[in-house]
Structure formats: structure tokens, C-alpha cells
Amino acid sequence: MYISRLRVNHKKNPLGFNLAKIHLSWEVKDVCGKWAVETRIIVSESSNMEKLVYDSGVQKNYHENQMLVSFDLKPRTRYYWQVEVKDDKGDCAKSNPAWFETGKLQESWTAKWIGTEENEKRMPLLYKEFELKEKPESVRWHVCGLGLYEAYVNEKKAGREFLMPGYHCYDSFLEYQTLDVTELLSQGKNKIAVLLGEGWYKGRFGFDGDYRNLYGNQKKCIGELHIRYANGQEECIVTDSSWKAEESSICENGIYDGEHIDETLEHKMLSVEEIEETRPLVERFNPRIHKVEEFQPVSVKQEDEALLLDFGETVTGWVEITGAFETGQKVMMQYGEVLQKGRFYRDNLRTAKAEFTYVSKGKGETIRPHFTYYGFRYVKIKGLNPEKEYKFIAYRIMSDIERTGWVATDHDKVNHLLENTLRSQKCNFLDIPTDCPQRDERMGWTGDAGIFASTACFHMDSGSFFHHYMKNMQAEQEKCNGAIPFFVPRPKVKKEEHTNPFYLDSGAAVWGDAATLIPWRLYQFYGDKAMLEEQYPVMKAWVDYEYERTKENEIPYLWQNDRQLGDWLALDNGNINNPIGKTDSGFIASVYHYWSTKMVKEAAESLGLEESKVYAEREKEIRNAILNYYFPDKKFCLEYTQTACALLLYLKLYPEGEREVITAKLAELLKKNNGHLNTGFVGTPILCMALSENGQNQLAYDLLLNEDYPGWLHEVNLGATTVWERWNSLEEDGSISGTGMNSLNHYAYGSIAEWIYRYMCGLNPSIGEAVKMTIYPMPDQRFKKAEGSWRSVFGKYVCAWNWKSEQEVVCNIEVPFNANARFILPDGTEEILDCGKYEKILNMRP
């Protein structure tokens, strides 16, 4: 046996991250036994694991692969930790040491915020030159720059991160990074520098307007370079008025419009000033933003006087060009996500220019942007010399999270769809869960994130990513008296006449319910009680806010009295241009109020809180109010819609005896719509699950396999490589259906992947509970085989099936060490499975 995948707060060897609570996890592989009979964790300040600062002692029969540890942390200190496990067969293993390193913690800053005279046309480079008496043993740079920054040591970029410090609630706290720059410094003369750009902080950002300086009106940075020598001596170089500054070659830049670089410009010296700043500096929460994949063009062709590059799939990031450039040569790149009639197109980006221009001073080099990113498949490039060779590489830029879920079937188009859902997640998980990566928006819409959270956690280890998002949600919630805004972070747009209400309102049902959906999903997938405890106040405050709003409603406990978005982008209202669906918005809000209250009750129970009884009683009252109002005489009083039926069935919100009626009504509605869905953001994520849960699994597969409009495979047939915002983003002939609100890269409808993991493959995590997984596959004969796997904190769960005969399915299951699963047969028979591999026969007779 051996122990691997050691993680601290869902990160591998984190350097300078927030460690308010230390959550350790690991994986045990190649075992003979099934359970751990002894588990021990030790922590030391030395890599040889001597002089321990923490020892859990031998934990007998500790059937978890994660542990919360606590001891007094020192600032700027590296800690090493090991796990020892003995299984029930007597085998033992000890992991190799992993590590985590603290930032400054509560240590005061001696550095000052510094900046230069503000200029949006030229970006500043601030630098410090100094000498070192010898080669250092260890150097850490604690640094933050606003809006965005890149750090350099002796002309080399420090670290592999980009777009630092990322996007967060700058008005509440400022996250700084800790960079290991030991290898970049040497004895003698050295130079450190910080290059600043506009970014989300002060550049143009936010749809429906030319909003700038949302969080501040001056670019600035702060940094402390802590140097340690072999003899134990230390010194520190800090930002202050002694630094120098000059104009860089980077000119205008912005998240939407791109970046302009002119290497031929003179670099005028700038004066440096110290700047007052009261917002607290905190250790970073966000995973690193880095390059995760690279792509070469699958085709290069001439269009007018430009090159048109196709990278074969949709990417979030940028293209880098390597080659020799002449003095004064101007290269211009434009980014788009779709062609129209075979030509470059980008009108659906609205006001986003999505450009990169570069003027060379004449040398061989690789050119790239620094303070922007693009969502694209196609790139149009002007200004290249046709007689010279160039190398083009597209890089996907995203947050550093690892893949954990895989599904493979014998249906190529479904496999393509699954890859599309994963790709949309990759494209939009860049520091925050954005709605889209290409147009003038790219904001952290809460509704999208909440309904996609389960799919996100199946596909990738999203624990640290969503932890960062929830920290920002909590900061915004505190400004909204318990409410949740439509997006997190919320750009601080000044309230003026005709200001878009999305910036100002306190959110609405579904969108605000991300406050409960995300934390509860995280607990189901990761079982991290410390994280649930941290996020529970956000859950509670939102549900209490909903409850207070219902007090102003004519019917107690129902939320029918505020502006809602309803079933956003549903197709059932008879007007494709009206984004709000037919399902009654007050009904949706009331149902979500019930659902969120239920999740808060369950979270409180998991945390052992006495107040769970309060929310249990409230859940009961809301349920009764819904049944009494919407089911007078036990008959649904509203017009049935697919979304209404799905909500009622999924949450079991119906009077006794009405389940069959609602199920039949949903089947009838689908039949009337020629077997197609017409649901939006509310109904789509749960529609297939509601069908499979209520004896209509075949209809769920029908919806999955529809190849015409509207349907997931319809998008695949039209060449989609990501998930679209609208069911009709492209028409049958490939022409774009509209430009006002039409993204070809929105992950929300990709939540169908959750149904594939849970129902086709039968994987239903409950890592926080005694039984860690429920495995209940629901095969369909239109698939000969399917295999799903998900890498939990314990290791990989696998459920694979194939048809043995017309009525029998062979199901192969794997349960990881120290874990278990509840396996459910088609007849409802249950069996608890411990660690191991199993073959089960499913009798699929009707």
C-alpha cells in the first residue's frame, strides 16, 4: 500500500494561502485490506520530520481520509506533514512528506503601497535595484498589485501565474500572493520589479455601460521581499518611496478590449509616491491562475490581408506568436468564437473589442498580452510578414484545479457533449465562475454557479475554487443585509438614473440560493465539515433574508412579493425574445425558499447545531404553505409547465397521491412538445433527474439523445465545442441567432452532465455522511455500455455497465479504501459495499 494525493485545504503544497483552518486529506492505494485500523498525522518544521509541532496520535479505526488539525502557526514558516496508515490486514504505509507554508499571518507590514501619477495610456513598471552579499538560501516575495500585476526578478517573470491578484471583492479585502523567487536571485546586483495593469479593479468592466475605476482610481503595489541566508541571517526589501518607476511598453489594456503594446516608445522616468490604503491585506484564497493546456491551429488560411487561425475548439486565454519582427512592425490580433459564412465574426461580443496589438522594436521574440484574456476559437492576425515563419500557440488559462470525473460511453455524440460541458467549465473557471469568457460581461453570476455546482464538482476538484467564491459571496452579503446579489463580486457601480438594476438589487430566488446550493454541494462531494462550518453563516443569513421577505407577502411563508427572474431563458412563454419563462415566478421563489431552508436544516444537523430544529420547523411550515396554496383540494392551481412539474417531483412537493398525476402530466407536456424540453435555467438542471426518479428514465434518455432543436446533441451536430447560453444560439444553417445576449460558451445548461454521472452512471456522493456514496445506475438499451468514475477524497469510485442480454446488465463497481457505498438494484434491493471490486447483475425486466 502507499499514500498519495496529499492535499491541504484542497491544494497541493500551498504556499502563502489562507490557513485559518488546516484541512488535510490523502488517498491510500494498492491495499489488501478494506479499512484503516490506525491513522496518524504528524507535522514538523523540518523535512526530516523531527521536532514535531503536531501529532494526532494513533487514531483507532479512523474511517476518514481527511482530518482537521490545529496548532499555533508561525508567520512565513514551512511545515511538513506525513500520514501513517495501518489497514485491517496489518499492512502499513507512511506517506512522503508534503508541505504547506504560511504567509505573513498577523505580522504587520513594513512595506508601503506605492504608485505613480495615474495614466491609463501607459502602464508603469516600478522597480528596486539592490545588492546581495551572497546567494540566499530562501527568498519569499509577499506582493500585491492593483489592478493586475506581474512580478519580475532580474528581468525574468516570477512564478507561473497570470492575472494576479485575480478578481475578488477589492472593497472588502485585498489578497496578496507569496512567490518563491529563491532561484531568481544571485550574489551581487539584483533587480525586482512590478508591472501594473488596469484589470477588473479599475479598467472598463461591467455590461450595459462604460464603467471604470470601480474599486479605485490609481494603480499601485505593495511588496516585501524576505531574504534568508544559510547562516540564518535575514533581510527584507520593501516597497517605499525609494523605489523607481518608468513607463513600460504596455499601453491601453482591459479585460474586454484587450491590450496594446508598443516596444518603440521611449520609457520616461516616473516619480514614485507612497499611497494610503485602509483595506486589509489578507493571504490569498484563490487557486493560482495558470496555463493548463496549449493548442496549435488546426487550420491557417488567408482572409483578405490577414491570417485566420482555427484552434479546433473554444479556448479561454490567449495566443502567443514566436518569430522575428522588424522595427515598427505592427501585429494586430482579433479574437472570435464562431465564423459566419466561413468568415471571421465577433458581433456577439457586443462592445468587447477583444484585440491585441503589438509594435516591435525589431527582434526575435514571443509576444503575448499581460493584463487581459479572451474567449475564442478563431483568431484573425494582421501585420505578419508572409515571407517569414511564425509559431502560433494558444494557451488555456484557468484556475489551478484538477480533473476528478470521467464518463465514457459507446455514443460518440454524448461523449462529445460531456467534453463540451467540461470545456465550458474550464473556460469559465478563471478565478471566479464567470457566465461567459468572451463578451463584455465575464461576471460571477450566482445563479449559473449554483445550478452547475454539482457538475463542477464531478468534473473537477472545485473545493478550493468555490471556497474562494464563497468568501467573496460572504463579503457581498454583509453589504446587502443578508441578501445575495446577482453576481459575486458585485462591481460597485454608482447608483444613477437608468442604472441597470442587476447592479443594485439584492438578488432574487435561484440566483441568491447559490448561497445554500454551493456549500451544501461542497459538503456532499468533499465532506469537509470545517468548510461547511465556515460557510454555514452565509447559508443561514440568506434563508433568514428570504424568510423576512415572505413576511411582507399576503400568504405567510410564500415568496411571491418581489421581482424575480423566474425560469430564465425558457422556451415555453411563446416569445423567444422574452427571457423569462412561463412558470410562475412566485411559485419558483417559494419552492426555492423551501429547498434552501431544507439545506440549512441539513447543514445545521450535520454540524450538530441545536438550531436545526428551528429550520426543521420552518421547512415544515413552508411546505404546508406551498401545498395549501398551490394545491387547493389537492389539485395544482397553476398551469402545469415542464419546469413546475420537475420542481415538484424533484423536491417531492405534492400532496399524497399526486406524484403519479404530476409525473403523467410531465410526460404529457413532453409529448405535446414533440418529445422536447422547453425549460430554462430553473427547469433544465433537474428535468432529467425528476424523470429518472419517478419512473420515467426512458424519457430522460430521450431528452439527452434528441438531435434536433432544442437539445444538447443539436448543439453538438452544429459543431459546438462548448455549451451555449441559449438553445438556439446558432440557427440550423450555422448563422448566429442574435447578438444582444448570445454566448457560445455558457456552462449552465451543461448541468446535464450531473444527470449522466448520477443516473446513467449511478454515482451519488454523500461524503459527509456515514455511507459515502450511493450507486444506483439506470441503463438504457440505446447505450451498449457506459463507465463513470469520480475521484473522491478516498480515491476513485467506478461504476461501469454493459448489456449482457436484453434483460440483464453486468455492472462492475469499485469502492476505494476506507470508504463504502450503498448499491441499489433495479428492484430497490440495497446492499452496503466496502472497499473492493464487485460484479453485479442487474435484472432490467419491466
Side-chain angles (χ1 to χ4, degrees):
M1 66 188 296
Y2 71 96
I3 303 172
S4 63
R5 205 184 176 213
L6 275 67
R7 298 291 185 267
V8 181
N9 295 4
H10 305 271
K11 302 176 183 71
K12 181 179 180 181
N13 296 337
L15 171 63
F17 283 79
N18 183 280
L19 295 171
K21 294 184 179 181
I22 304 173
H23 174 268
L24 306 179
S25 63
W26 57 93
E27 186 176 316
V28 184
K29 303 183 75 173
D30 292 351
V31 293
C32 296
K34 295 179 179 293
W35 299 99
V37 295
E38 293 182 0
T39 303
R40 182 188 179 205
I41 289 180
I42 56 174
V43 184
S44 172
E45 288 186 34
S46 60
S47 58
N48 60 13
M49 303 310 295
E50 297 178 354
K51 297 181 181 179
L52 301 183
V53 297
Y54 177 86
D55 188 342
S56 70
V58 175
Q59 304 291 308
K60 298 289 186 180
N61 299 314
Y62 188 73
H63 295 165
E64 294 289 346
N65 278 26
Q66 52 188 332
M67 186 181 294
L68 189 67
V69 305
S70 179
F71 58 93
D72 292 332
L73 294 171
K74 298 178 183 178
R76 298 183 289 105
T77 302
R78 176 167 292 194
Y79 294 95
Y80 299 85
W81 64 286
Q82 272 184 312
V83 185
E84 302 175 43
V85 174
K86 180 179 180 180
D87 71 12
D88 52 328
K89 296 293 186 181
D91 287 347
C92 301
K94 181 186 291 187
S95 72
N96 292 325
W99 58 265
F100 57 92
E101 188 173 314
T102 57
K104 288 175 59 64
L105 301 180
Q106 300 304 314
E107 185 180 66
S108 60
W109 286 75
T110 57
K112 305 295 184 181
W113 283 96
I114 60 173
T116 66
E117 181 180 347
E118 186 57 29
N119 183 355
E120 295 179 358
K121 303 297 183 181
R122 291 288 294 275
M123 299 303 106
L125 178 77
L126 296 95
Y127 63 93
K128 177 78 172 182
E129 296 171 316
F130 56 93
E131 291 193 22
L132 296 180
K133 55 189 175 183
E134 60 183 84
K135 169 72 176 176
E137 180 183 64
S138 173
V139 186
R140 299 292 184 269
W141 197 359
H142 308 287
V143 58
C144 180
L146 297 170
L148 296 175
Y149 77 96
E150 288 187 352
Y152 294 86
V153 178
N154 295 326
E155 311 300 333
K156 294 183 179 179
K157 186 177 179 300
R160 296 183 293 111
E161 292 186 64
F162 297 93
L163 303 173
M164 295 187 294
Y167 183 27
H168 55 268
C169 295
Y170 305 114
D171 52 326
S172 296
F173 50 80
L174 301 172
E175 297 182 36
Y176 71 89
Q177 286 67 48
T178 298
L179 308 177
D180 182 350
V181 295
T182 307
E183 298 304 316
L184 297 178
L185 287 163
S186 59
Q187 182 180 3
K189 292 183 179 180
N190 290 272
K191 177 182 177 182
I192 57 175
V194 178
L195 178 64
L196 296 177
E198 300 286 280
W200 298 274
Y201 181 81
K202 68 177 302 295
R204 184 169 84 90
F205 188 68
F207 66 92
D208 191 39
D210 187 11
Y211 302 115
R212 298 176 187 269
N213 300 324
L214 294 176
Y215 297 95
N217 57 14
Q218 187 172 14
K219 293 183 284 292
K220 55 189 174 181
C221 68
I222 189 171
E224 292 185 356
L225 190 76
H226 287 265
I227 304 167
R228 183 180 302 159
Y229 297 98
N231 62 7
Q233 290 185 332
E234 296 187 10
E235 64 176 300
C236 183
I237 296 172
V238 304
T239 49
D240 57 25
S241 58
S242 70
W243 278 51
K244 298 178 180 179
E246 64 181 35
E247 293 177 333
S248 74
S249 299
I250 300 177
C251 303
E252 297 94 338
N253 62 89
I255 298 297
Y256 298 150
D257 296 329
E259 184 168 306
H260 175 67
I261 300 175
D262 190 342
E263 296 283 8
T264 66
L265 296 173
E266 294 184 2
H267 297 266
K268 184 179 72 175
M269 295 299 295
L270 304 170
S271 61
V272 173
E273 60 178 352
E274 295 182 3
I275 302 170
E276 288 294 322
E277 176 57 72
T278 59
R279 290 168 289 191
L281 276 164
V282 300
E283 287 82 15
R284 67 186 307 170
F285 298 101
N286 62 332
R288 298 177 180 89
I289 302 170
H290 66 168
K291 296 176 178 177
V292 296
E293 293 175 85
E294 63 178 62
F295 307 86
Q296 294 185 354
V298 297
S299 74
V300 179
K301 65 180 182 180
Q302 198 78 20
E303 181 175 303
D304 301 327
E305 297 181 356
L307 288 182
L308 181 60
L309 278 58
D310 176 2
F311 287 93
E313 64 178 69
T314 306
V315 179
T316 292
W318 57 64
V319 172
E320 299 186 9
I321 306 177
T322 301
F325 300 91
E326 300 171 0
T327 301
Q329 182 178 353
K330 181 179 180 180
V331 178
M332 181 177 184
M333 305 167 67
Q334 297 176 310
Y335 291 80
E337 59 177 351
V338 67
L339 300 181
Q340 293 289 275
K341 296 182 179 179
R343 296 182 62 82
F344 184 76
Y345 173 89
R346 57 180 186 152
D347 287 355
N348 68 313
L349 306 190
R350 301 189 301 212
T351 66
K353 293 181 181 177
E355 296 176 344
F356 174 66
T357 59
Y358 179 84
V359 181
S360 176
K361 63 180 178 181
K363 61 180 180 179
E365 57 193 319
T366 297
I367 61 174
R368 67 166 176 90
H370 298 73
F371 300 125
T372 190
Y373 70 92
Y374 311 90
F376 65 96
R377 173 174 171 174
Y378 302 94
V379 181
K380 188 175 183 179
I381 307 176
K382 300 178 182 178
L384 295 179
N385 187 333
E387 297 179 358
K388 294 186 178 181
E389 292 187 0
Y390 301 93
K391 182 179 179 181
F392 309 101
I393 298 181
Y395 289 96
R396 189 188 305 286
I397 312 292
M398 67 170 290
S399 294
D400 183 13
I401 55 179
E402 64 180 314
R403 186 170 180 179
T404 51
W406 294 265
V407 174
T409 76
D410 62 327
H411 197 298
D412 290 342
K413 290 183 180 180
V414 170
N415 294 340
H416 189 148
L417 167 63
L418 281 160
E419 287 300 312
N420 287 0
T421 68
L422 174 64
R423 198 174 289 116
S424 269
Q425 179 178 354
K426 289 180 177 181
C427 286
N428 283 290
F429 272 39
L430 195 159
D431 210 45
I432 61 167
T434 56
D435 58 324
C436 59
Q438 77 296 85
R439 70 187 182 206
D440 55 352
E441 198 158 343
R442 314 186 201 185
M443 301 167 76
W445 285 88
T446 47
D448 306 53
I451 63 179
F452 190 74
S454 286
T455 298
C457 292
F458 270 123
H459 278 332
M460 309 188 81
D461 186 345
S462 303
S464 62
F465 180 84
F466 275 129
H467 177 254
H468 175 240
Y469 188 60
M470 291 303 300
K471 292 297 293 186
N472 284 276
M473 187 179 293
Q474 184 173 27
E476 296 293 2
Q477 186 183 46
E478 290 171 355
K479 300 181 186 73
C480 296
N481 299 315
I484 299 296
F486 285 106
F487 21 74
V488 171
R490 181 168 60 100
K492 301 310 182 290
V493 172
K494 292 182 180 179
K495 186 175 182 179
E496 300 173 345
E497 188 177 1
H498 305 305
T499 298
N500 191 308
F502 281 121
Y503 291 105
L504 308 174
D505 285 358
S506 298
V510 186
W511 280 253
D513 291 288
T516 52
L517 281 165
I518 294 174
W520 188 240
R521 295 308 191 210
L522 294 179
Y523 187 61
Q524 289 176 316
F525 277 83
Y526 306 118
D528 184 345
K529 192 162 288 188
M531 188 185 293
L532 180 65
E533 185 176 35
E534 181 180 343
Q535 295 169 359
Y536 175 75
V538 181
M539 303 175 70
K540 177 183 173 181
W542 166 249
V543 164
D544 288 347
Y545 171 83
E546 286 182 304
Y547 180 54
E548 290 301 315
R549 296 305 307 133
T550 67
K551 289 182 179 179
E552 296 185 16
N553 191 54
E554 183 178 348
I555 311 299
Y557 297 103
L558 300 184
W559 193 9
Q560 304 165 314
N561 49 300
D562 286 331
R563 174 180 177 270
Q564 303 288 346
L565 298 184
D567 192 19
W568 188 253
L569 293 182
L571 300 173
D572 58 359
N573 61 13
N575 181 1
I576 200 168
N577 296 313
N578 181 355
I580 298 179
K582 192 175 186 179
T583 308
D584 182 80
S585 295
F587 166 75
I588 292 174
S590 299
V591 169
Y592 262 81
H593 180 210
Y594 166 77
W595 191 5
S596 281
T597 303
K598 181 181 179 67
M599 286 185 279
V600 169
K601 177 206 70 175
E602 292 170 343
E605 290 174 347
S606 297
L607 295 172
L609 301 178
E610 185 69 20
E611 65 187 37
S612 64
K613 297 177 182 177
V614 174
Y615 292 99
E617 182 61 29
R618 194 184 297 175
E619 174 196 357
K620 180 180 176 181
E621 294 290 353
I622 301 169
R623 179 184 180 86
N624 288 338
I626 289 173
L627 295 183
N628 291 335
Y629 182 83
Y630 290 108
F631 287 90
D633 302 321
K634 295 189 177 183
K635 301 297 180 184
F636 192 52
C637 68
L638 301 178
E639 180 181 353
Y640 278 113
T641 63
Q642 292 181 16
T643 291
C645 291
L647 281 172
L648 294 170
L649 292 171
Y650 184 70
L651 294 172
K652 298 179 173 59
L653 266 175
Y654 40 72
E656 185 177 351
E658 282 299 294
R659 174 190 175 190
E660 293 76 11
V661 173
I662 299 169
T663 302
K665 190 63 181 178
L666 178 54
E668 179 186 332
L669 289 169
L670 288 168
K671 183 178 180 180
K672 283 185 176 180
N673 202 41
N674 297 316
H676 293 82
L677 53 76
N678 55 24
T679 49
F681 272 36
V682 174
T684 301
I686 61 172
L687 180 59
C688 287
M689 293 192 282
L691 289 166
S692 293
E693 285 280 356
N694 292 277
Q696 297 292 336
N697 193 50
Q698 182 177 338
L699 287 180
Y701 274 91
D702 290 346
L703 291 175
L704 172 68
L705 295 173
N706 274 339
E707 296 201 27
D708 51 354
Y709 169 82
W712 291 280
L713 297 190
H714 176 63
E715 298 180 14
V716 171
N717 288 338
L718 288 177
T721 63
T722 44
V723 178
W724 298 344
E725 179 178 16
R726 314 181 75 122
W727 292 113
N728 67 326
S729 284
L730 293 184
E731 303 290 2
E732 296 286 351
D733 62 358
S735 61
I736 199 150
S737 63
T739 59
M741 190 177 73
N742 198 348
S743 160
L744 301 183
N745 199 348
H746 255 64
Y747 56 68
Y749 286 152
S751 52
I752 183 61
E754 179 184 359
W755 175 84
I756 292 173
Y757 279 107
R758 291 188 186 275
Y759 293 87
M760 180 186 290
C761 300
L763 298 172
N764 293 273
S766 52
I767 302 299
E769 300 177 12
V771 178
K772 308 300 181 184
M773 175 74 71
T774 297
I775 300 178
Y776 186 13
M778 297 185 179
D780 184 278
Q781 288 188 334
R782 285 167 284 186
F783 289 78
K784 296 177 182 178
K785 60 183 180 180
E787 177 177 338
S789 63
W790 176 65
R791 195 171 188 181
S792 72
V793 68
F794 295 97
K796 191 174 287 187
Y797 280 93
V798 178
C799 181
W801 53 259
N802 63 277
W803 286 88
K804 181 180 180 181
S805 66
E806 286 191 7
Q807 295 183 336
E808 287 187 330
V809 172
V810 178
C811 187
N812 292 286
I813 298 166
E814 293 182 27
V815 178
F817 176 77
N818 223 25
N820 58 10
R822 176 185 293 108
F823 180 67
I824 302 178
L825 290 163
D827 64 3
T829 303
E830 296 186 8
E831 179 183 359
I832 300 297
L833 307 178
D834 295 332
C835 167
K837 297 183 178 181
Y838 303 85
E839 182 176 287
K840 301 289 183 180
I841 303 298
L842 309 184
N843 186 336
M844 303 303 294
R845 294 184 182 90

